[in-house]
Amino acid sequence: MIDDTETQENREYWEYEPSSQPPYLTPNYKSTVIRSPNKPQYKLPRTLTETTGPLFTQDDLVADEYDLSVNAKGDAAIGSLMVMDGFVTDEDGRPAANTLIELWQANSAGKYHHLMDTRDAPGDPNFIGAGRAVTDSEGHYRFMTIKPGAYPVPNSGNYWRPPHLHLSLFGRSFMSRMITQCYFPGDPLNELDHILHGVPDVDAKERLIMTFDPVVGVHEHALGYRFDIVLRGRRATPMVG
Amino acid sequence: MMTDSKTTPSAGQTVGPFFNYALLRDGDNDLTSDGKAVGEIIIVEGQVIDGAGGPLRDVLLEIWQANAQGRYNHPADAPANSGDRELDENFRGFGRTLTDGDGCYRFVTIKPGAVPGEGNQWQAPHIAVSIFAAGLTRRLVTRLYFPGEDANDADPALSGVPEEDRMRLVGDVAEGSDNTVRFNIVLQGDGETPFFED
Ligand SMILES: [Fe+3]
């Protein structure tokens, strides 16, 4: 299959602006202290290994995976219905088409569908909290879900994670692979969150907070939030030599 | 120029501890399409260790590699530069798994062929590895190379790693198995795995 983006494949990738990404060692986020490498990272030539990667299409999805708010049998999850809607682009504003987005989250009580989440909050039998979408040719995606609850982090002195959604994206290659989290505007816990505040650059941090946007919601049914994602991309001008 | 409209990429954030029900499906750690892929079937297995020396559970590991002929299943590895390296319809080249309670993981895959590097260089057979975990604010990137490959000596990525640490990127032949490659990943401290810039 030939599309416009393929003519871009051999262009050079931008390197990450360090302040736009959280450093591995973020002492307030305690477990980074023994999991962040001590040694500097080595340069990796950007070869075919890095400029290729797994690609996905709509055909990889099962019907309605974008909708987390009902289970397979059609039973409704408990919580405030919300739409998450946005565009995925690369750094130069080109749409990231056919990009797989995986979403996972806690239920409205702040509990994950996971054996290791043993805290005393109720599970919701109608909410698994996992969904997938593939962007269209404009880079557009949309999820229907319920707003997750905040949850306390064990043995942390009553530190609570703000409501957040986890997102995993592939883009066109190994170079654009990333996993992130997004947050709700105006939540008082955002200010106190060690993971969100691990990002040094103020603008980069703010871009992880969704925008309340009634236009992308569903009238008298679901609130709307807009969240745009920028993946690492290639320079607009091909490198010569 | 489009430079004025350039936006920096979205910030990465930790995968956290509770991802497996969303990101993993049965068979994601077998890249061979039930053994139908062409080439030598190998097991890649190992343990992930943190800076306290203990095994780390629930680490998400992803691998990306060329097929037995050294061809990537992606349009950037186009016929024009692929020479006689051909695609294998039973080999996509992408796998995922997570570490168990003992910090151990296992992939079933095909030994990749050598792949082109920059210019006329060739790269030794290798597998690209992404590591995500709670306590990792974003991805770590490394590569697995294979023991006994002459091409390792001239590999451009391996050559960028100080000589005393290069062996940490070359898997070990497992005792009692001729198709198993052991590759432990140490996040921090003694025996730390060399990681590459993401
Ligand atoms: Fe979470």
Side-chain angles (χ1 to χ4, degrees):
Chain A
M1 212 203 328
I2 301 295
D3 65 38
D4 175 56
T5 54
E6 284 169 25
T7 61
Q8 315 279 353
E9 306 285 9
N10 53 7
R11 293 182 178 177
E12 280 209 359
Y13 275 83
W14 297 97
E15 296 302 326
Y16 282 119
E17 178 63 45
S19 67
S20 74
Q21 300 294 325
Y24 292 99
L25 178 60
T26 302
N28 285 335
Y29 175 14
K30 279 192 201 140
S31 47
T32 68
V33 174
I34 57 163
R35 295 183 190 165
S36 50
N38 292 333
K39 292 187 178 173
Q41 295 182 340
Y42 301 106
K43 283 253 179 267
L44 186 60
R46 303 313 190 182
T47 68
L48 271 181
T49 308
E50 287 72 36
T51 59
T52 58
L55 299 177
F56 302 87
T57 69
Q58 300 282 348
D59 297 341
D60 292 300
L61 301 180
V62 182
D64 297 336
E65 278 191 272
Y66 80 97
D67 188 351
L68 293 73
S69 70
V70 291
N71 66 14
K73 291 185 299 183
D75 303 314
I78 291 172
S80 175
L81 279 173
M82 59 170 275
V83 169
M84 179 195 196
D85 186 291
F87 288 85
V88 186
T89 56
D90 74 12
E91 293 172 75
D92 290 316
R94 280 186 286 258
N98 284 331
T99 286
L100 179 67
I101 308 179
E102 296 161 297
L103 167 69
W104 72 102
Q105 61 169 99
N107 69 18
S108 58
K111 180 145 174 134
Y112 283 91
H113 178 78
H114 192 289
L115 283 174
M116 297 290 284
D117 188 352
T118 53
R119 117 182 149 87
D120 61 347
D124 178 348
N126 298 325
F127 189 73
I128 300 295
R132 302 195 299 170
V134 168
T135 55
D136 67 15
S137 58
E138 257 92 70
H140 179 250
Y141 76 91
R142 183 170 178 270
F143 286 105
M144 174 71 84
T145 186
I146 54 120
K147 185 179 176 184
Y151 58 85
V153 176
N155 310 313
S156 67
N158 202 32
Y159 155 44
W160 289 62
R161 296 285 342 267
H164 61 275
L165 306 165
H166 293 265
L167 293 166
S168 155
L169 292 98
F170 282 87
R172 290 286 296 171
S173 74
F174 188 82
M175 294 287 286
S176 52
R177 175 84 180 101
M178 64 100 75
I179 287 179
T180 190
Q181 301 181 26
C182 69
Y183 302 84
F184 288 80
D187 195 293
L189 291 169
N190 288 345
E191 281 308 305
L192 305 169
D193 188 56
H194 303 318
I195 292 176
L196 173 59
H197 288 280
V199 180
D201 182 75
V202 174
D203 176 59
K205 193 161 27 193
E206 278 170 4
R207 286 195 290 124
L208 292 183
I209 299 175
M210 296 183 285
T211 308
F212 178 63
D213 185 353
V215 172
V216 301
V218 180
H219 188 65
E220 293 184 3
H221 183 68
L223 294 171
Y225 291 91
R226 174 84 187 252
F227 189 65
D228 295 331
I229 302 156
V230 181
L231 298 179
R232 175 153 62 175
R234 300 170 202 85
R235 295 170 197 275
T237 308
M239 299 294 287
V240 178
Chain B
M1 288 298 294
M2 297 171 76
T3 42
D4 358 38
S5 64
K6 186 180 176 300
T7 323
T8 54
S10 304
Q13 297 267 271
T14 181
V15 72
F18 299 139
F19 56 82
N20 63 350
Y21 66 94
L23 300 185
L24 291 152
R25 276 143 232 267
D26 283 348
D28 278 356
N29 68 335
D30 182 350
L31 289 74
T32 66
S33 309
D34 294 321
K36 292 196 291 287
V38 175
E40 180 193 349
I41 292 186
I42 58 169
I43 310 291
V44 174
E45 61 175 32
Q47 198 178 28
V48 180
I49 309 283
D50 68 14
L56 197 56
R57 66 176 298 158
D58 293 322
V59 176
L60 175 67
L61 294 172
E62 291 181 350
I63 60 174
W64 171 246
Q65 62 166 100
N67 68 22
Q69 298 194 16
R71 175 86 180 260
Y72 284 102
N73 191 348
H74 188 282
D77 196 356
N81 63 15
S82 67
D84 51 8
R85 297 172 297 121
E86 280 175 24
L87 285 173
D88 173 358
E89 61 177 2
N90 291 312
F91 194 76
R92 186 180 195 190
F94 177 69
R96 257 181 182 179
T97 194
L98 83 168
T99 58
D100 64 17
D102 297 317
C104 294
Y105 73 91
R106 182 174 194 267
F107 287 105
V108 181
T109 186
I110 294 290
K111 177 154 179 226
V115 297
E118 294 174 307
N120 323 325
Q121 284 184 313
W122 281 77
Q123 305 186 72
H126 65 276
I127 294 177
V129 183
S130 296
I131 303 149
F132 299 92
L136 285 182
T137 56
R138 47 190 292 247
R139 170 173 79 160
L140 285 173
V141 169
T142 190
R143 281 184 174 196
L144 162 65
Y145 287 82
F146 293 87
E149 293 282 332
D150 293 339
N152 287 346
D153 296 335
D155 183 82
L158 264 186
S159 307
V161 175
E163 203 166 352
E164 66 273 19
D165 280 342
R166 268 176 225 167
M167 35 85 77
R168 302 191 198 288
L169 295 182
V170 180
D172 293 315
V173 182
E175 244 171 82
S177 165
D178 52 12
N179 71 339
T180 300
V181 177
R182 298 267 324 161
F183 183 58
N184 291 338
I185 297 169
V186 180
L187 298 182
Q188 183 192 80
D190 281 348
E192 187 173 305
T193 300
F195 298 106
F196 292 104
E197 285 179 1
D198 185 3

